[in-house]
Amino acid sequence: MAVPKKRTSISKKRIRKNSWKRKGYWAALKAFSLAKSLATGNSKSFFVRQIKIKG
């Protein structure tokens, strides 16, 4: 028969939640940094084909 597990303490729950949020924050920061470098043309890891406008 199934037995309920012991309750996780609030502090342990908060620590896990914060580390999970921190991972998301750093992923977003990296993505934004990459987007900025692509927009300004300073990217060294991506090669974006430039379209020349005749005018």
Side-chain angles (χ1 to χ4, degrees), residues 12-23:
K12 194 174 277 187
K13 182 177 167 182
R14 194 176 294 137
I15 288 166
R16 287 188 185 138
K17 197 173 183 180
N18 284 340
S19 68
W20 184 77
K21 283 181 181 178
R22 204 175 298 123
K23 280 183 190 175

Side-chain angles (χ1 to χ4, degrees), residues 10-41:
I10 294 171
S11 62
K12 194 174 277 187
K13 182 177 167 182
R14 194 176 294 137
I15 288 166
R16 287 188 185 138
K17 197 173 183 180
N18 284 340
S19 68
W20 184 77
K21 283 181 181 178
R22 204 175 298 123
K23 280 183 190 175
Y25 170 76
W26 286 113
L29 200 69
K30 269 184 150 179
F32 186 68
S33 175
L34 179 61
K36 274 201 309 191
S37 68
L38 281 171
T40 57

